Amino acid sequence: MARILMCPPDYYGIEYEINPWMSRSRGAVSARARQQWQELYDTLQHIGATVELVPPQPGLPDLVFTANAGLVFRQQVILSHFRYPQRQREEPVFEAWFRTHGFEVLRLPQDLFFEGAGDALFCGRTLFAGYRIRSDCLAHQEVARRIGREVLPLELVNPHFYHLDTCFCPLAPGQAIYYPPAFDSYAQRVLRERIPELMVCPDHDAYRFGCNAVVVGKFVVLNAGCDALAELLRRAGYQPILIPLDEFLKAGGSAKCLTLRLDGEDAAIW
Ligand code: ARG
């Protein structure tokens, strides 16, 4: 059974600007954000996931994006060390949650930035890892050493797609969705060579964060308005579920960012 970590949006808001989607003059509407988050939460339970919660904290508006808590690998978690000080304050909150829930917490050297599952996703036995905008390439090498798995660093070149999970979504071992313009040409080649079934996300849907999808078995939960991508998924045998998450797009997030898979993604071979 899928086990997912989320954090209620009690203190969610646009209080600073650390990516091109965020503008303090375009704040989140709390009631709508709550409603959208609730629908995601209900949907995930409905398709068979167990959802656990990190208690929200005042002053940490981005804590809702639990994908960035760390990288979970079996009973271990490599804790994130955020690039921006505004988000570094989330680190002790996530650390405490993992410790009280039976995870062994590993930390990277403090001079390396690493933003967890936002930038590191398994497809099969291999960990695909985005770097340059948030996480450091060297951090990924350290992660590879700690977990003893092959890690393929992918350079992210478009500031709108600043985390790997905004432009890449593993569906199953050997199968994924990606948005090519988010990657440098070398990374595009690596993805094409290493993942036999690669689906290209159309531009329009990529900018609605269609790649930022939660996969549970054959269900794929993603932001409303990604109709072309939904059709591609249906043709590949998946059942897309579109729910409005535009209040979170204002912070540069969508379905996947709001979740952290604690038991290994469907696409991961642990
Ligand atoms: N405002 C947050 C940030 O810029 C959004 C994080 C989205 N998370 C993700 N995994 N893509 O850090």
Side-chain angles (χ1 to χ4, degrees):
M1 191 192 250
R3 203 179 146 207
I4 290 173
L5 183 67
M6 291 179 72
C7 171
D10 301 27
Y11 304 103
Y12 169 67
I14 314 297
E15 293 174 17
Y16 44 77
E17 297 166 3
I18 57 172
N19 69 53
W21 302 85
M22 300 175 91
S23 161
R24 266 168 298 181
S25 62
R26 208 175 45 244
V29 181
S30 308
R32 270 178 58 83
R34 162 59 73 173
Q35 209 182 348
Q36 296 184 348
W37 184 91
Q38 190 67 43
E39 192 177 344
L40 177 64
Y41 176 82
D42 294 342
T43 301
L44 293 174
Q45 287 185 320
H46 189 71
I47 59 178
T50 303
V51 183
E52 299 177 46
L53 298 176
V54 184
Q57 306 286 327
L60 298 180
D62 275 338
L63 196 67
V64 291
F65 298 113
T66 51
N68 299 123
L71 174 71
V72 177
F73 182 63
R74 301 183 178 142
Q75 271 317 102
Q76 300 180 319
V77 60
I78 299 177
L79 202 69
S80 288
H81 179 41
F82 289 91
R83 183 168 295 271
Y84 291 101
Q86 293 96 325
R87 292 205 71 187
Q88 287 173 0
R89 291 180 287 126
E90 298 174 27
E91 294 168 19
V93 179
F94 286 129
E95 177 169 14
W97 190 90
F98 285 120
R99 283 195 196 283
T100 54
H101 289 79
F103 287 87
E104 183 193 343
V105 177
L106 311 180
R107 293 172 148 283
L108 297 177
Q110 286 299 291
D111 57 338
L112 297 179
F113 296 118
F114 175 65
E115 301 203 354
D119 268 333
L121 297 165
F122 282 95
C123 193
R125 293 180 54 84
T126 301
L127 186 69
F128 291 84
Y131 71 92
R132 212 187 85 173
I133 303 181
R134 292 296 183 86
S135 299
D136 288 319
C137 195
L138 274 177
H140 294 318
Q141 256 143 24
E142 188 60 26
V143 168
R145 212 177 57 78
R146 304 277 180 101
I147 66 175
R149 281 294 177 89
E150 178 190 36
V151 175
L152 295 178
L154 306 168
E155 184 172 336
L156 301 177
V157 297
N158 182 330
H160 276 94
F161 300 91
Y162 57 93
H163 276 141
L164 181 66
D165 69 359
T166 65
C167 49
F168 175 65
C169 176
L171 294 167
Q175 190 185 34
I177 311 167
Y178 80 138
Y179 181 55
F183 299 92
D184 78 339
S185 57
Y186 187 77
Q188 290 180 28
R189 207 173 82 207
V190 169
L191 287 167
R192 283 196 302 266
E193 279 174 12
R194 297 298 301 267
I195 302 180
E197 269 181 85
L198 257 190
M199 217 179 272
V200 174
C201 181
D203 293 281
H204 170 272
D205 296 5
Y207 277 87
R208 292 198 53 80
F209 269 11
C211 296
N212 199 250
V214 183
V215 181
V216 178
K218 287 286 173 186
F219 294 105
V220 181
V221 183
L222 69 168
N223 189 18
C226 297
D227 302 309
L229 180 58
E231 188 48 37
L232 291 176
L233 285 165
R234 258 180 234 111
R235 268 187 246 150
Y238 289 89
Q239 190 170 328
I241 303 176
L242 283 72
I243 61 181
L245 290 164
D246 46 280
E247 287 302 325
F248 297 97
L249 205 61
K250 292 173 177 173
S254 190
K256 171 72 180 192
C257 309
L258 293 166
T259 66
L260 179 70
R261 190 75 182 256
L262 297 168
D263 59 322
E265 301 278 349
D266 284 76
I269 299 175
W270 278 5

